[in-house]
Amino acid sequence: MLQITDLKARIGDAEILHGLNLQVNAGEVHAIMGPNGSGKSTLAQVVAGHDAYEVTAGSVTYNGTDLLALEPEERAREGIFLGFQYPVEIPGVNNAYLLKAALNARRKHQGLDEIDAFEFLKLAREKMALLGMDPKFLNRGVNEGFSGGEKKRNEIFQMAMLEPTLAVLDETDSGLDIDALRAVAMGVNALRSPERAIILVTHYQRLLDYVEPDYVHVLSGGRIVRSGDKSLALELEEKGYDWLREAATA
Amino acid sequence: MSTEPDKLESFVNRRYEHGFITDIDADSLPPGLDEGVVRAISARKNEPEFMLEWRLRAYRHWRQLEEPTWAHVHYPRIDYEAISYFSAPKSDKDRPKSLDEVDPKLLETYDKLGIPLHERARLAGVAVDAVFDSVSVATTFKEKLSEAGVIFCSFSDAVINHPDLVKKYLGSVVPQRDNFFASLNSAVFSDGSFVYIPKGVRCPMELSTYFRINAANTGQFERTLIIADEGSHVSYLEGCTAPMRDENQLHAAVVELVALKDAEIKYSTVQNWYPGDENGVGGIYNFVTKRGDCRGANSKISWTQVETGSAITWKYPSCILRGENSVGEFYSVAVANNYQQADTGTKMIHIGRNTRSTIVSKGISAGHAQNAYRGLVRIMPQAHGARNHTQCDSLLIGKACGAHTFPYIEVRNPSAKVEHEATTSKISADQLFYCRQRGISEEDAVNMIVNGFCKEVFKELPMEFAVEAQALLNVSLEGAVG
Ligand SMILES: Nc1ncnc2c1ncn2[C@@H]1O[C@H](COP(=O)(O)OP(=O)(O)O)[C@@H](O)[C@H]1O
Ligand SMILES: [Mg+2]
């Protein structure tokens, strides 16, 4: 589904990704771990198409097409979802309004009819109940005055509504209490299917207790320095990242 | 496409879509202003003596005045001798015969703005006898209004047919000597609307469609007078578009509202005059004096405006809260784009006891535009228990624009309560990227954020007008990012 080959990317004058390779197939869940500043968010933003990041070499294909040639909104309509590490507040824009516009943009692209207000609300209430969210959030400004945890839950709620083909969640588990973490895990597990793929960027083993990944990768210094199965995450929890850094530079 | 904040302003490069250049009218006075010109204007309108005298008094006063310079706007000095002060409405033979002859761009904009079909021909200046639709619509309106006893006609008609009302109320809210532009208007006003709602009458319709159909050609110096007699109620909608011109065009309108005891006037404006091109060339100079007088107890005057046009806007719809328990409201959205300059706001003068006022001002700046809010809240010594709440928000799109707030608060009664809140925010690249990542185009995202920002004001507009205003804002900021 997603094929990243020798990807180099920079922001400003600094090259952050120095030749990254990653293959993600339908049905898989990949966890990407790694120290602060190693380039995890950069990778997520490049996949989503943020134009502050410049791709200088390599390729990214998504279901066989050149992903880098698409605008961010085209990528989204093709089923790519990014759960932001720092979801932005958009005061005055109703959460439900944004989400309905997003959903309809996707549906239009798929040649489907627009969802009507009634259907939309029904679906939204269902998903919110599942994630333990108060329906009041629908009528608030997008992330406006939300706590850190509420913002992350809102990302998962949006993901649940949009049912992406490829979801990239950038540290959605950071700063969550245990209930919120469970809710996030539930959202992710509900999305899991043979047609979809999920990339979880995380620092912590604890999310992986709830969402079992097929693969775990360690991103360090702008490259994937090690890949393995879920036991790698446990090993990292125990030993930290330093031994890998040494291994990478050796 | 880009979401870099410093590139946002390139998206602002939209074209004015209502612009079209028209032929020069045969029947205009030569440029320049003297008593002879004032007399000629009055004569062409067959005005009675009192009106001519009134104009001349205003003219003589205006001659002694200097143009004010305190507003936060900059423009080359206006040469008042280079302006022609009278041009007759175009004769039918110079007009397009049907909508087929009208600039398709203009029609496209009407479409985007959601302007009803039956109004388009008249707005586009199609010859009257070709506009069967609007004529019949106008006739229906007229019948309905006269049944209710409402007088609604052009100002020129009112001078002839209702001279007593005109004599009694003209200049009673905005005196001839009020300010430079009001004096000029008083001397040379072209035309406008006149409304009188009799005692206890609730005007049976919004005076909107009718206005557009009957008073589309009001000229540079518009004059409007609305009187709501005791216990009456009226909602008046004003909207305008203007032909594209290269030289700057001066507009100086005066609007006077009078609300007697228990009466209510709601005055809504959606204004879209030619703002000049993306380099700041051309565009209308709009210097307006709008004032409402809550003369009776429990009266209410509410101004709602959505301003997207003009190269320069100088406009402060105000309320004089004279009657006890009277209420003044001001809801405003002012958009300034490219090189537009807006200095706008309101004045709330509290005189009566327990008078209340609300000000909600939303300023949007994009491109190189400068947008200033200037508001005065004055509580007079006798205004016991007066209250004001002011909320003043600015939204910036791009880096080169500016927002300025000049609140003036004068409280001379210790029992008064005055609150002022102000915020400034930006449409950030991160917000736009967030929306785009959800599948929403950059332009839709900007519209969404702008409309969200203006929500409180839009909800004050009559339903149809709100839809039009929203569309207008979208058109105005078309290309504002990317
Ligand atoms: N705007 C920027 N300009 C320069 N360097 C940046 C910018 N944004 C991020 N970086 C740097 O890029 C590196 C990778 O950041 P990021 O991808 O956010 O790491 P991670 O998500 O793994 O913590 C960090 O060293 C960070 O300081
Ligand atoms: Mg990060």
Side-chain angles (χ1 to χ4, degrees), chain B residues 333-402:
Chain B
V333 169
V335 179
N337 201 346
N338 294 323
Y339 286 87
Q340 278 176 271
Q341 306 175 56
D343 194 301
T344 178
T346 185
K347 288 188 261 182
M348 294 290 174
I349 313 295
H350 292 255
I351 300 171
R353 287 171 165 264
N354 299 317
T355 46
R356 279 163 291 148
S357 62
T358 303
I359 298 171
V360 177
S361 161
K362 305 275 180 177
I364 300 166
S365 318
H368 291 84
Q370 297 296 324
N371 207 337
Y373 167 81
R374 190 181 300 278
L376 168 67
V377 176
R378 176 181 292 155
I379 314 280
M380 302 296 271
Q382 64 273 45
H384 297 286
R387 273 176 291 158
N388 163 267
H389 183 85
T390 298
Q391 190 192 321
C392 184
D393 300 322
S394 307
L395 182 68
L396 304 176
I397 305 176
K399 277 183 187 160
C401 56

Side-chain angles (χ1 to χ4, degrees), chain A residues 126-198:
Chain A
E126 253 169 53
K127 302 280 188 192
M128 291 185 114
L130 200 72
L131 297 171
M133 276 175 82
D134 190 326
K136 278 205 292 267
F137 280 100
L138 270 181
N139 293 320
R140 283 179 52 183
V142 175
N143 295 319
E144 191 180 355
F146 288 21
S147 72
E150 286 165 350
K151 284 180 184 169
K152 298 297 178 75
R153 259 194 225 228
N154 197 34
E155 294 291 287
I156 295 300
F157 165 57
Q158 293 186 15
M159 180 184 81
M161 291 292 287
L162 295 170
E163 302 191 315
T165 313
L166 172 67
V168 182
L169 301 181
D170 191 0
E171 294 202 30
T172 305
D173 57 332
S174 293
L176 296 187
D177 62 29
I178 194 71
D179 287 343
L181 186 72
R182 282 210 184 97
V184 166
M186 179 141 58
V188 174
N189 284 326
L191 194 73
R192 243 178 138 149
S193 87
E195 295 83 44
R196 300 202 172 100
I198 297 162

Side-chain angles (χ1 to χ4, degrees), chain B residues 245-384:
Chain B
R245 300 256 170 120
D246 271 335
E247 82 271 28
N248 290 303
Q249 231 184 320
L250 173 68
H251 279 241
V254 171
V255 176
E256 297 180 276
L257 311 182
V258 181
L260 301 182
K261 189 166 164 284
D262 300 318
E264 182 175 342
I265 301 174
K266 191 172 168 58
Y267 192 105
S268 313
T269 308
V270 171
Q271 190 269 106
N272 183 25
W273 278 349
Y274 180 54
D277 67 14
E278 51 271 44
N279 300 312
V281 177
I284 304 287
Y285 291 1
N286 190 25
F287 300 97
V288 191
T289 306
K290 285 184 165 177
R291 193 172 305 154
D293 190 357
C294 283
R295 215 163 273 186
N298 311 312
S299 57
K300 177 175 174 183
I301 288 178
S302 181
W303 298 99
T304 307
Q305 60 172 21
V306 176
E307 299 273 338
T308 66
S310 305
I312 296 177
T313 304
W314 181 100
K315 179 175 176 184
Y316 317 90
S318 307
C319 296
I320 301 171
L321 303 170
R322 215 183 291 274
E324 250 179 56
N325 303 314
S326 61
V327 175
E329 294 176 338
F330 175 75
Y331 297 95
S332 167
V333 169
V335 179
N337 201 346
N338 294 323
Y339 286 87
Q340 278 176 271
Q341 306 175 56
D343 194 301
T344 178
T346 185
K347 288 188 261 182
M348 294 290 174
I349 313 295
H350 292 255
I351 300 171
R353 287 171 165 264
N354 299 317
T355 46
R356 279 163 291 148
S357 62
T358 303
I359 298 171
V360 177
S361 161
K362 305 275 180 177
I364 300 166
S365 318
H368 291 84
Q370 297 296 324
N371 207 337
Y373 167 81
R374 190 181 300 278
L376 168 67
V377 176
R378 176 181 292 155
I379 314 280
M380 302 296 271
Q382 64 273 45
H384 297 286

